[in-house]
Amino acid sequence: MSGIETRSPRISFESMVIKPPSHPTYDLRAVIKLALAEDVGDQGDVTCMATIPDDMEVEAHFLAKEDGIVAGIALAEMVFNEVDPSLKVEWSQKDGDYVHKGLKFGKVHGRAHNIVRAERVVLNFMQRMSGIATLTKAMADAAHPALILETRKTAPGLRLVDKWAVLIGGGRNHRMGLFDMVLIKDNHISIAGGVTNALKSVDSYLEKRNLRMEVEIETRTLEEIKDVLEYASKTKTSLTRIMLDNMVVPLLNGDVDVSMLKEAVELINGKFETEASGNVTLETVHKIGQTGVTYISSGALTHSVKALDISLKIDTELALEVGRRTKRA
């Protein structure tokens, strides 16, 4: 069994609308179990046990409290299944769909104790994933024709979950970790003594070990790009992508100057994929995307996520009444 498979007979990754990215060691079921365990501790849900009859069954509805892209539906089913496989879950939307404020988009029926026990863990995953997916969708649309990527700036322990949300929002995944792509960054370059030495070392390492994987190098100046291109013109290299770091210059009026980035893209002239990094926001990404870069990477997709407000309510009419009073529904 791979690190992200589920043992649920009801849920398979093949049936999911958007499958999670692959990872050789990540155990998604263990992450779910840990999230549930930290909530119930060693006493269980004492409030539920004190207020709700053990055998009571209820129906609870998922309610969107703001507009956005919903994500985490498949993961929510996995959580419910981990708590109680007999719970019946139905959805009117799927991962990646747009939901508007006030929409009831799913429901779960079964033993009240288990629904309430799963509630917060389900919502924590869904709200975070939906927030990531919503921002990713906005960034991906604005970046076109460039493709939007996240980075490794994810919540510890939630790497796969965060990157799954990016896929649901219409983005692409950058490398999963340190193991699946060579990314030669500024510190590697400084230690190696320049971009040429760093690339030589990587090519030698991969050849000696008969490894085949993508290789990207970060460049910070046009001179570094020229050095990379000169090396590649004379040597067989595994290089596939050049990162153009901080070549988007912020201006005092809030705009950005992308002239250096455009010059870099023209210099590379399609010989390698290109990736713009630095000063990427929802306001600047469209202008960056028009420069001809292949990819635009943004750490903000996952490190500065604003959760999408979603609730799970048994008395939905009262919840809507309160929501209208507080202007959240």
Side-chain angles (χ1 to χ4, degrees), residues 174-188:
H174 211 305
R175 60 177 179 162
M176 180 59 66
L178 299 173
F179 59 90
D180 58 333
M181 178 186 189
V182 176
L183 178 45
I184 311 167
K185 292 185 67 65
D186 52 358
N187 285 336
H188 305 112

Side-chain angles (χ1 to χ4, degrees), residues 40-68:
V40 298
D42 61 352
Q43 294 290 329
D45 186 344
V46 292
T47 312
C48 256
M49 291 186 287
T51 61
I52 302 173
D54 186 63
D55 59 351
M56 177 175 284
E57 292 196 354
V58 297
E59 184 172 273
H61 292 257
F62 284 92
L63 182 66
K65 291 187 172 179
E66 58 183 320
D67 301 345

Side-chain angles (χ1 to χ4, degrees), residues 71-122:
I73 284 176
L75 185 52
E77 289 208 24
M78 294 170 69
V79 176
F80 283 128
N81 186 75
E82 189 65 42
V83 172
D84 180 356
S86 72
L87 293 175
K88 297 179 176 61
V89 189
E90 296 178 25
W91 307 96
S92 61
Q93 308 293 313
K94 62 184 182 299
D95 279 328
D97 281 351
Y98 174 81
V99 294
H100 61 79
K101 184 167 69 172
L103 178 70
K104 289 191 283 187
F105 62 91
K107 62 183 179 180
V108 55
H109 178 89
R111 188 165 168 250
H113 273 228
N114 291 334
I115 290 175
V116 176
R117 179 186 163 203
E119 173 191 358
R120 179 41 52 194
V121 173
V122 165

Side-chain angles (χ1 to χ4, degrees), residues 167-296:
L167 292 180
I168 291 170
R172 301 286 185 94
N173 287 152
H174 211 305
R175 60 177 179 162
M176 180 59 66
L178 299 173
F179 59 90
D180 58 333
M181 178 186 189
V182 176
L183 178 45
I184 311 167
K185 292 185 67 65
D186 52 358
N187 285 336
H188 305 112
I189 293 165
S190 296
I191 295 167
V195 291
T196 302
N197 287 344
L199 275 171
K200 282 180 181 176
S201 297
V202 167
D203 283 333
S204 174
Y205 178 89
L206 295 177
E207 185 177 4
K208 285 178 182 177
R209 288 158 181 78
N210 197 28
L211 291 173
R212 297 174 65 87
M213 62 176 61
E214 291 186 6
V215 175
E216 179 176 10
I217 189 164
E218 177 182 321
T219 59
R220 295 156 290 179
T221 66
L222 297 177
E223 288 68 31
E224 283 187 329
I225 294 172
K226 290 173 184 176
D227 288 344
V228 169
L229 294 175
E230 183 178 0
Y231 170 80
S233 69
K234 298 176 180 178
T235 312
K236 183 181 177 183
T237 179
S238 297
L239 182 67
T240 53
R241 188 185 306 172
I242 300 176
M243 180 186 291
L244 311 171
D245 190 49
N246 285 314
M247 296 188 188
V248 175
V249 182
L251 301 174
L252 292 176
N253 64 1
D255 199 0
V256 288
D257 180 358
V258 296
S259 57
M260 183 180 180
L261 181 62
K262 288 180 72 174
E263 188 175 350
V265 171
E266 290 167 3
L267 198 60
I268 295 165
N269 195 29
K271 296 181 181 70
F272 299 97
E273 294 177 340
T274 53
E275 177 187 332
S277 175
N279 295 309
V280 177
T281 68
L282 191 54
E283 291 72 35
T284 65
V285 71
H286 176 71
K287 194 169 186 178
I288 297 169
Q290 303 309 301
T291 62
V293 291
T294 318
Y295 299 104
I296 302 171

Side-chain angles (χ1 to χ4, degrees), residues 31-47:
V31 170
I32 291 169
K33 288 168 74 73
L34 179 62
L36 291 166
E38 71 180 0
D39 220 13
V40 298
D42 61 352
Q43 294 290 329
D45 186 344
V46 292
T47 312

